[in-house]
Amino acid sequence: MHLYDFLPSGNGYKVRLALRWLGIPFEYHEIDILKGESRTPAFLAKNPNGRIPVLEIEPGIFLAESNAILTYLADGTPFVPRDRLERARVLEWMFFEQYSHEPNIATVRFWITHLGLSDERRAQLEPKQTLGYAALGVMERHLESRQFFVGDRYSIADIALYAYTHVAHEGGFELGRFPAILAWLGRVARQPGHIPITQG
Ligand SMILES: N[C@@H](CCC(=O)N[C@@H](CS)C(=O)NCC(=O)O)C(=O)O
């Protein structure tokens, strides 16, 4: 398999983590999104949406959207519950991640670490932080009585939410006020085969 990715990306990291945990060999291809490399005609032929990560499953078969890729890779493994409701709960958290978490927490981190705060972004900072903290609050309350997000077993819902939560401080989010999240981050990082976001 070939993974088209950008190292600082949490969306890409989800896929790298899953590939490592599942022991699936892959070739890593760095796409520098800051230089527009995800918007070239060659890349748009892989993903017309112009975004990494993209997994080339077999020659010419491309799959985009990090959580779709996680679902594909983990299908039939212990990282996806067999129970119908628990499987839907995994999706529930993965949709939450894409709608309520990533657009706030990941976006603010990207502004601060890569793009810088223009006047326009500065004006959007506070609303995004409010929404980001609201998402962290939802996670904190859920984790107060649980080890992992679904079925008290490690699943792709944990991978999806770990990716941008563990680097939320890079976007100025203070995780110190979320002890249940901090304990869960530690549990995820202790899973066998864990790799840091900096590893391709
Ligand atoms: N919903 C998508 C989001 C993908 C996404 O936003 N990728 C960003 C990097 S994290 C990207 O490729 N940006 C480059 C661009 O928009 O040109 C996913 O989960 O994979």
Side-chain angles (χ1 to χ4, degrees):
M1 290 196 192
H2 293 263
L3 176 64
Y4 300 88
D5 194 358
F6 178 60
L7 219 45
S9 164
N11 286 317
Y13 178 48
K14 295 174 196 173
V15 180
R16 277 176 264 141
L17 266 181
L19 286 164
R20 298 278 180 205
W21 271 325
L22 292 165
I24 299 171
F26 66 99
E27 206 170 304
Y28 181 85
H29 302 268
E30 179 82 350
I31 302 293
D32 190 338
I33 63 172
L34 300 170
K35 293 186 180 149
E37 289 177 5
S38 63
R39 301 288 166 152
T40 63
F43 190 85
L44 291 171
K46 299 176 179 44
N47 178 12
N49 199 26
R51 290 183 168 85
I52 58 88
V54 173
L55 187 68
E56 188 171 8
I57 294 163
E58 50 186 81
I61 305 291
F62 299 100
L63 184 63
E65 292 296 326
S66 57
N67 290 349
I69 300 172
L70 285 184
T71 306
Y72 174 82
L73 289 173
D75 189 44
T77 75
F79 299 129
V80 177
R82 297 178 72 170
D83 176 79
R84 184 179 175 187
L85 179 58
E86 285 193 350
R87 241 185 358 260
R89 291 250 179 260
V90 165
L91 288 178
E92 186 178 38
W93 281 110
M94 288 165 76
F95 285 118
F96 164 86
E97 188 268 340
Q98 285 284 288
Y99 189 79
S100 301
H101 186 288
E102 193 254 24
N104 302 306
I105 294 173
T107 301
V108 169
R109 168 181 176 256
F110 190 58
W111 289 350
I112 290 177
T113 57
H114 284 92
L115 298 185
L117 286 177
S118 60
D119 287 348
E120 195 189 330
R121 290 186 203 117
R122 204 176 287 281
Q124 291 178 56
L125 195 59
E126 203 182 306
K128 289 235 174 247
Q129 282 171 335
T130 303
L131 290 169
Y133 274 121
L136 292 170
V138 170
M139 292 169 64
E140 176 72 12
R141 285 189 291 282
H142 186 73
L143 288 169
E144 271 164 0
S145 56
R146 294 173 181 85
Q147 299 283 301
F148 295 104
F149 272 90
V150 180
D152 254 358
R153 271 193 324 274
Y154 181 64
S155 76
I156 53 174
D158 297 288
I159 299 181
L161 282 161
Y162 179 83
Y164 283 111
T165 305
H166 89 294
V167 288
H169 61 279
E170 295 177 9
F173 290 92
E174 289 170 26
L175 289 179
R177 42 172 127 155
F178 300 102
I181 290 181
L182 286 176
W184 164 78
L185 289 176
R187 282 192 289 279
V188 173
R190 287 192 295 277
Q191 294 295 309
H194 186 81
I195 53 160
I197 192 167
T198 46
Q199 190 174 328

mmCIF file of all heavy atoms in Angstrom, residues 21 93 139 142-159 161-162 180 183-191:
data_model
loop_
_atom_site.group_PDB
_atom_site.id
_atom_site.type_symbol
_atom_site.label_atom_id
_atom_site.label_comp_id
_atom_site.label_asym_id
_atom_site.label_seq_id
_atom_site.Cartn_x
_atom_site.Cartn_y
_atom_site.Cartn_z
ATOM 1 N N TRP A 21 -0.195 -0.311 13.926
ATOM 2 C CA TRP A 21 -0.815 -1.217 14.893
ATOM 3 C C TRP A 21 -1.229 -2.533 14.249
ATOM 4 O O TRP A 21 -1.138 -3.586 14.855
ATOM 5 C CB TRP A 21 -2.040 -0.542 15.526
ATOM 6 C CG TRP A 21 -1.721 0.255 16.734
ATOM 7 C CD1 TRP A 21 -0.772 -0.022 17.678
ATOM 8 C CD2 TRP A 21 -2.353 1.462 17.152
ATOM 9 N NE1 TRP A 21 -0.776 0.949 18.647
ATOM 10 C CE2 TRP A 21 -1.739 1.862 18.349
ATOM 11 C CE3 TRP A 21 -3.380 2.232 16.619
ATOM 12 C CZ2 TRP A 21 -2.118 3.002 19.039
ATOM 13 C CZ3 TRP A 21 -3.759 3.366 17.310
ATOM 14 C CH2 TRP A 21 -3.126 3.748 18.505
ATOM 15 N N TRP A 93 -18.715 8.458 17.350
ATOM 16 C CA TRP A 93 -17.560 9.239 17.827
ATOM 17 C C TRP A 93 -16.711 9.746 16.666
ATOM 18 O O TRP A 93 -16.128 10.834 16.725
ATOM 19 C CB TRP A 93 -16.719 8.414 18.808
ATOM 20 C CG TRP A 93 -17.342 8.388 20.168
ATOM 21 C CD1 TRP A 93 -17.927 7.313 20.787
ATOM 22 C CD2 TRP A 93 -17.485 9.491 21.076
ATOM 23 N NE1 TRP A 93 -18.423 7.689 22.014
ATOM 24 C CE2 TRP A 93 -18.168 9.016 22.219
ATOM 25 C CE3 TRP A 93 -17.124 10.838 21.034
ATOM 26 C CZ2 TRP A 93 -18.479 9.832 23.308
ATOM 27 C CZ3 TRP A 93 -17.430 11.659 22.112
ATOM 28 C CH2 TRP A 93 -18.096 11.154 23.228
ATOM 29 N N MET A 139 -15.891 14.875 25.673
ATOM 30 C CA MET A 139 -14.994 13.720 25.799
ATOM 31 C C MET A 139 -14.663 13.442 27.268
ATOM 32 O O MET A 139 -14.644 12.293 27.719
ATOM 33 C CB MET A 139 -13.694 13.984 25.026
ATOM 34 C CG MET A 139 -13.881 14.025 23.522
ATOM 35 S SD MET A 139 -12.415 14.654 22.677
ATOM 36 C CE MET A 139 -11.177 13.413 23.064
ATOM 37 N N HIS A 142 -17.476 11.739 29.086
ATOM 38 C CA HIS A 142 -17.623 10.345 28.645
ATOM 39 C C HIS A 142 -16.534 9.462 29.258
ATOM 40 O O HIS A 142 -16.793 8.333 29.665
ATOM 41 C CB HIS A 142 -17.539 10.308 27.116
ATOM 42 C CG HIS A 142 -17.823 8.964 26.529
ATOM 43 N ND1 HIS A 142 -19.084 8.425 26.482
ATOM 44 C CD2 HIS A 142 -17.003 8.034 25.971
ATOM 45 C CE1 HIS A 142 -19.038 7.228 25.910
ATOM 46 N NE2 HIS A 142 -17.783 6.973 25.596
ATOM 47 N N LEU A 143 -15.326 9.997 29.333
ATOM 48 C CA LEU A 143 -14.192 9.182 29.786
ATOM 49 C C LEU A 143 -14.078 9.094 31.307
ATOM 50 O O LEU A 143 -13.299 8.283 31.818
ATOM 51 C CB LEU A 143 -12.888 9.750 29.203
ATOM 52 C CG LEU A 143 -12.702 9.529 27.693
ATOM 53 C CD1 LEU A 143 -11.534 10.357 27.166
ATOM 54 C CD2 LEU A 143 -12.481 8.045 27.368
ATOM 55 N N GLU A 144 -14.852 9.918 32.013
ATOM 56 C CA GLU A 144 -14.755 9.884 33.485
ATOM 57 C C GLU A 144 -15.053 8.491 34.037
ATOM 58 O O GLU A 144 -14.510 8.085 35.067
ATOM 59 C CB GLU A 144 -15.715 10.916 34.095
ATOM 60 C CG GLU A 144 -15.044 12.282 34.243
ATOM 61 C CD GLU A 144 -16.029 13.412 34.480
ATOM 62 O OE1 GLU A 144 -17.252 13.143 34.539
ATOM 63 O OE2 GLU A 144 -15.564 14.567 34.584
ATOM 64 N N SER A 145 -15.912 7.733 33.340
ATOM 65 C CA SER A 145 -16.282 6.406 33.834
ATOM 66 C C SER A 145 -15.859 5.291 32.873
ATOM 67 O O SER A 145 -16.373 4.181 32.940
ATOM 68 C CB SER A 145 -17.803 6.345 34.029
ATOM 69 O OG SER A 145 -18.438 6.685 32.800
ATOM 70 N N ARG A 146 -14.943 5.611 31.926
ATOM 71 C CA ARG A 146 -14.567 4.598 30.930
ATOM 72 C C ARG A 146 -13.061 4.622 30.646
ATOM 73 O O ARG A 146 -12.421 5.656 30.794
ATOM 74 C CB ARG A 146 -15.288 4.846 29.608
ATOM 75 C CG ARG A 146 -16.781 4.661 29.678
ATOM 76 C CD ARG A 146 -17.421 5.093 28.369
ATOM 77 N NE ARG A 146 -18.862 4.934 28.425
ATOM 78 C CZ ARG A 146 -19.688 5.843 28.932
ATOM 79 N NH1 ARG A 146 -19.218 6.966 29.439
ATOM 80 N NH2 ARG A 146 -20.976 5.619 28.953
ATOM 81 N N GLN A 147 -12.569 3.481 30.183
ATOM 82 C CA GLN A 147 -11.160 3.385 29.795
ATOM 83 C C GLN A 147 -10.959 3.854 28.347
ATOM 84 O O GLN A 147 -9.974 4.498 28.027
ATOM 85 C CB GLN A 147 -10.698 1.918 29.883
ATOM 86 C CG GLN A 147 -10.785 1.311 31.286
ATOM 87 C CD GLN A 147 -9.646 1.780 32.162
ATOM 88 O OE1 GLN A 147 -8.482 1.561 31.824
ATOM 89 N NE2 GLN A 147 -9.956 2.430 33.250
ATOM 90 N N PHE A 148 -11.911 3.467 27.490
ATOM 91 C CA PHE A 148 -11.832 3.818 26.068
ATOM 92 C C PHE A 148 -13.213 4.277 25.601
ATOM 93 O O PHE A 148 -14.190 4.148 26.338
ATOM 94 C CB PHE A 148 -11.333 2.621 25.244
ATOM 95 C CG PHE A 148 -9.921 2.218 25.580
ATOM 96 C CD1 PHE A 148 -9.670 1.088 26.347
ATOM 97 C CD2 PHE A 148 -8.845 2.979 25.162
ATOM 98 C CE1 PHE A 148 -8.373 0.723 26.688
ATOM 99 C CE2 PHE A 148 -7.542 2.629 25.491
ATOM 100 C CZ PHE A 148 -7.305 1.501 26.257
ATOM 101 N N PHE A 149 -13.309 4.759 24.368
ATOM 102 C CA PHE A 149 -14.568 5.397 23.965
ATOM 103 C C PHE A 149 -15.743 4.440 23.818
ATOM 104 O O PHE A 149 -16.861 4.765 24.171
ATOM 105 C CB PHE A 149 -14.368 6.239 22.687
ATOM 106 C CG PHE A 149 -13.938 7.620 23.047
ATOM 107 C CD1 PHE A 149 -12.599 7.935 23.174
ATOM 108 C CD2 PHE A 149 -14.876 8.586 23.358
ATOM 109 C CE1 PHE A 149 -12.200 9.198 23.581
ATOM 110 C CE2 PHE A 149 -14.491 9.852 23.772
ATOM 111 C CZ PHE A 149 -13.149 10.153 23.885
ATOM 112 N N VAL A 150 -15.489 3.242 23.291
ATOM 113 C CA VAL A 150 -16.607 2.328 23.015
ATOM 114 C C VAL A 150 -16.306 0.937 23.576
ATOM 115 O O VAL A 150 -15.233 0.372 23.313
ATOM 116 C CB VAL A 150 -16.860 2.219 21.493
ATOM 117 C CG1 VAL A 150 -18.028 1.261 21.217
ATOM 118 C CG2 VAL A 150 -17.157 3.591 20.892
ATOM 119 N N GLY A 151 -17.250 0.422 24.346
ATOM 120 C CA GLY A 151 -17.164 -0.968 24.807
ATOM 121 C C GLY A 151 -15.982 -1.234 25.722
ATOM 122 O O GLY A 151 -15.592 -2.382 25.907
ATOM 123 N N ASP A 152 -15.416 -0.167 26.249
ATOM 124 C CA ASP A 152 -14.235 -0.268 27.106
ATOM 125 C C ASP A 152 -13.097 -1.074 26.475
ATOM 126 O O ASP A 152 -12.319 -1.746 27.147
ATOM 127 C CB ASP A 152 -14.592 -0.791 28.501
ATOM 128 C CG ASP A 152 -14.530 0.377 29.505
ATOM 129 O OD1 ASP A 152 -14.184 1.515 29.085
ATOM 130 O OD2 ASP A 152 -14.805 0.151 30.688
ATOM 131 N N ARG A 153 -13.072 -1.023 25.151
ATOM 132 C CA ARG A 153 -11.953 -1.640 24.423
ATOM 133 C C ARG A 153 -11.412 -0.607 23.449
ATOM 134 O O ARG A 153 -12.152 0.226 22.925
ATOM 135 C CB ARG A 153 -12.445 -2.856 23.627
ATOM 136 C CG ARG A 153 -12.416 -4.166 24.383
ATOM 137 C CD ARG A 153 -12.603 -5.332 23.428
ATOM 138 N NE ARG A 153 -13.534 -5.019 22.346
ATOM 139 C CZ ARG A 153 -14.857 -5.144 22.417
ATOM 140 N NH1 ARG A 153 -15.422 -5.557 23.538
ATOM 141 N NH2 ARG A 153 -15.606 -4.856 21.359
ATOM 142 N N TYR A 154 -10.138 -0.730 23.194
ATOM 143 C CA TYR A 154 -9.477 0.172 22.267
ATOM 144 C C TYR A 154 -10.039 -0.037 20.845
ATOM 145 O O TYR A 154 -10.127 -1.179 20.384
ATOM 146 C CB TYR A 154 -7.991 -0.160 22.343
ATOM 147 C CG TYR A 154 -7.145 0.682 21.484
ATOM 148 C CD1 TYR A 154 -7.050 2.029 21.703
ATOM 149 C CD2 TYR A 154 -6.434 0.116 20.441
ATOM 150 C CE1 TYR A 154 -6.267 2.820 20.895
ATOM 151 C CE2 TYR A 154 -5.645 0.898 19.634
ATOM 152 C CZ TYR A 154 -5.575 2.240 19.863
ATOM 153 O OH TYR A 154 -4.805 3.012 19.063
ATOM 154 N N SER A 155 -10.425 1.048 20.178
ATOM 155 C CA SER A 155 -11.014 0.902 18.835
ATOM 156 C C SER A 155 -10.565 2.067 17.945
ATOM 157 O O SER A 155 -9.878 3.003 18.399
ATOM 158 C CB SER A 155 -12.544 0.901 18.929
ATOM 159 O OG SER A 155 -13.010 2.229 19.155
ATOM 160 N N ILE A 156 -11.014 2.043 16.698
ATOM 161 C CA ILE A 156 -10.647 3.139 15.785
ATOM 162 C C ILE A 156 -11.279 4.469 16.207
ATOM 163 O O ILE A 156 -10.831 5.525 15.764
ATOM 164 C CB ILE A 156 -10.981 2.804 14.307
ATOM 165 C CG1 ILE A 156 -12.442 2.382 14.141
ATOM 166 C CG2 ILE A 156 -10.019 1.765 13.756
ATOM 167 C CD1 ILE A 156 -12.851 2.192 12.673
ATOM 168 N N ALA A 157 -12.281 4.435 17.077
ATOM 169 C CA ALA A 157 -12.801 5.699 17.628
ATOM 170 C C ALA A 157 -11.713 6.371 18.474
ATOM 171 O O ALA A 157 -11.556 7.599 18.457
ATOM 172 C CB ALA A 157 -14.041 5.443 18.475
ATOM 173 N N ASP A 158 -10.949 5.557 19.221
ATOM 174 C CA ASP A 158 -9.851 6.118 20.028
ATOM 175 C C ASP A 158 -8.755 6.680 19.126
ATOM 176 O O ASP A 158 -8.205 7.752 19.397
ATOM 177 C CB ASP A 158 -9.272 5.034 20.950
ATOM 178 C CG ASP A 158 -10.312 4.536 21.935
ATOM 179 O OD1 ASP A 158 -10.650 5.293 22.862
ATOM 180 O OD2 ASP A 158 -10.818 3.409 21.759
ATOM 181 N N ILE A 159 -8.445 5.959 18.043
ATOM 182 C CA ILE A 159 -7.410 6.457 17.125
ATOM 183 C C ILE A 159 -7.851 7.807 16.548
ATOM 184 O O ILE A 159 -7.088 8.771 16.523
ATOM 185 C CB ILE A 159 -7.163 5.462 15.964
ATOM 186 C CG1 ILE A 159 -6.683 4.105 16.492
ATOM 187 C CG2 ILE A 159 -6.138 6.039 14.979
ATOM 188 C CD1 ILE A 159 -6.389 3.084 15.397
ATOM 189 N N LEU A 161 -9.891 10.034 17.665
ATOM 190 C CA LEU A 161 -9.925 11.156 18.617
ATOM 191 C C LEU A 161 -8.554 11.467 19.222
ATOM 192 O O LEU A 161 -8.286 12.604 19.625
ATOM 193 C CB LEU A 161 -10.948 10.875 19.717
ATOM 194 C CG LEU A 161 -12.385 11.131 19.237
ATOM 195 C CD1 LEU A 161 -13.395 10.436 20.135
ATOM 196 C CD2 LEU A 161 -12.665 12.632 19.179
ATOM 197 N N TYR A 162 -7.704 10.457 19.267
ATOM 198 C CA TYR A 162 -6.367 10.681 19.843
ATOM 199 C C TYR A 162 -5.555 11.665 18.986
ATOM 200 O O TYR A 162 -4.836 12.528 19.510
ATOM 201 C CB TYR A 162 -5.625 9.342 19.934
ATOM 202 C CG TYR A 162 -4.231 9.461 20.492
ATOM 203 C CD1 TYR A 162 -4.017 9.500 21.870
ATOM 204 C CD2 TYR A 162 -3.121 9.536 19.644
ATOM 205 C CE1 TYR A 162 -2.732 9.620 22.391
ATOM 206 C CE2 TYR A 162 -1.838 9.653 20.158
ATOM 207 C CZ TYR A 162 -1.655 9.691 21.527
ATOM 208 O OH TYR A 162 -0.395 9.816 22.028
ATOM 209 N N ALA A 180 -9.529 13.150 32.935
ATOM 210 C CA ALA A 180 -9.924 11.865 32.337
ATOM 211 C C ALA A 180 -9.355 11.739 30.925
ATOM 212 O O ALA A 180 -8.919 10.657 30.509
ATOM 213 C CB ALA A 180 -11.449 11.737 32.317
ATOM 214 N N ALA A 183 -5.630 10.877 31.249
ATOM 215 C CA ALA A 183 -5.415 9.457 31.590
ATOM 216 C C ALA A 183 -5.646 8.588 30.353
ATOM 217 O O ALA A 183 -4.877 7.647 30.078
ATOM 218 C CB ALA A 183 -6.360 9.052 32.720
ATOM 219 N N TRP A 184 -6.671 8.914 29.571
ATOM 220 C CA TRP A 184 -6.964 8.147 28.341
ATOM 221 C C TRP A 184 -5.822 8.317 27.318
ATOM 222 O O TRP A 184 -5.409 7.342 26.674
ATOM 223 C CB TRP A 184 -8.306 8.618 27.784
ATOM 224 C CG TRP A 184 -8.592 8.245 26.368
ATOM 225 C CD1 TRP A 184 -9.005 7.020 25.905
ATOM 226 C CD2 TRP A 184 -8.487 9.097 25.207
ATOM 227 N NE1 TRP A 184 -9.170 7.069 24.541
ATOM 228 C CE2 TRP A 184 -8.866 8.329 24.086
ATOM 229 C CE3 TRP A 184 -8.129 10.430 25.020
ATOM 230 C CZ2 TRP A 184 -8.884 8.857 22.797
ATOM 231 C CZ3 TRP A 184 -8.143 10.952 23.738
ATOM 232 C CH2 TRP A 184 -8.512 10.166 22.645
ATOM 233 N N LEU A 185 -5.294 9.542 27.184
ATOM 234 C CA LEU A 185 -4.170 9.751 26.255
ATOM 235 C C LEU A 185 -3.011 8.825 26.617
ATOM 236 O O LEU A 185 -2.369 8.236 25.743
ATOM 237 C CB LEU A 185 -3.689 11.213 26.299
ATOM 238 C CG LEU A 185 -4.596 12.285 25.690
ATOM 239 C CD1 LEU A 185 -4.000 13.676 25.907
ATOM 240 C CD2 LEU A 185 -4.827 12.035 24.198
ATOM 241 N N GLY A 186 -2.776 8.686 27.917
ATOM 242 C CA GLY A 186 -1.702 7.797 28.379
ATOM 243 C C GLY A 186 -1.998 6.346 28.016
ATOM 244 O O GLY A 186 -1.102 5.623 27.561
ATOM 245 N N ARG A 187 -3.247 5.929 28.206
ATOM 246 C CA ARG A 187 -3.606 4.539 27.869
ATOM 247 C C ARG A 187 -3.410 4.273 26.375
ATOM 248 O O ARG A 187 -2.912 3.227 25.983
ATOM 249 C CB ARG A 187 -5.069 4.259 28.249
ATOM 250 C CG ARG A 187 -5.292 4.006 29.720
ATOM 251 C CD ARG A 187 -6.681 3.460 29.996
ATOM 252 N NE ARG A 187 -7.738 4.437 29.812
ATOM 253 C CZ ARG A 187 -8.093 5.364 30.720
ATOM 254 N NH1 ARG A 187 -7.475 5.411 31.886
ATOM 255 N NH2 ARG A 187 -9.073 6.200 30.475
ATOM 256 N N VAL A 188 -3.809 5.233 25.541
ATOM 257 C CA VAL A 188 -3.652 5.043 24.089
ATOM 258 C C VAL A 188 -2.154 4.969 23.737
ATOM 259 O O VAL A 188 -1.734 4.089 22.986
ATOM 260 C CB VAL A 188 -4.345 6.180 23.301
ATOM 261 C CG1 VAL A 188 -4.029 6.074 21.812
ATOM 262 C CG2 VAL A 188 -5.852 6.129 23.526
ATOM 263 N N ALA A 189 -1.375 5.867 24.317
ATOM 264 C CA ALA A 189 0.054 5.906 23.979
ATOM 265 C C ALA A 189 0.780 4.637 24.434
ATOM 266 O O ALA A 189 1.857 4.329 23.916
ATOM 267 C CB ALA A 189 0.703 7.142 24.599
ATOM 268 N N ARG A 190 0.199 3.914 25.387
ATOM 269 C CA ARG A 190 0.843 2.674 25.864
ATOM 270 C C ARG A 190 0.423 1.445 25.053
ATOM 271 O O ARG A 190 0.877 0.342 25.325
ATOM 272 C CB ARG A 190 0.539 2.453 27.348
ATOM 273 C CG ARG A 190 1.296 3.419 28.268
ATOM 274 C CD ARG A 190 1.218 2.995 29.725
ATOM 275 N NE ARG A 190 -0.125 3.055 30.252
ATOM 276 C CZ ARG A 190 -0.714 4.172 30.725
ATOM 277 N NH1 ARG A 190 -0.053 5.315 30.728
ATOM 278 N NH2 ARG A 190 -1.947 4.140 31.190
ATOM 279 N N GLN A 191 -0.421 1.621 24.055
ATOM 280 C CA GLN A 191 -0.807 0.479 23.212
ATOM 281 C C GLN A 191 0.422 -0.021 22.459
ATOM 282 O O GLN A 191 1.242 0.785 21.997
ATOM 283 C CB GLN A 191 -1.881 0.899 22.196
ATOM 284 C CG GLN A 191 -3.212 1.279 22.817
ATOM 285 C CD GLN A 191 -3.891 0.104 23.499
ATOM 286 O OE1 GLN A 191 -4.045 -0.955 22.911
ATOM 287 N NE2 GLN A 191 -4.285 0.290 24.745
#
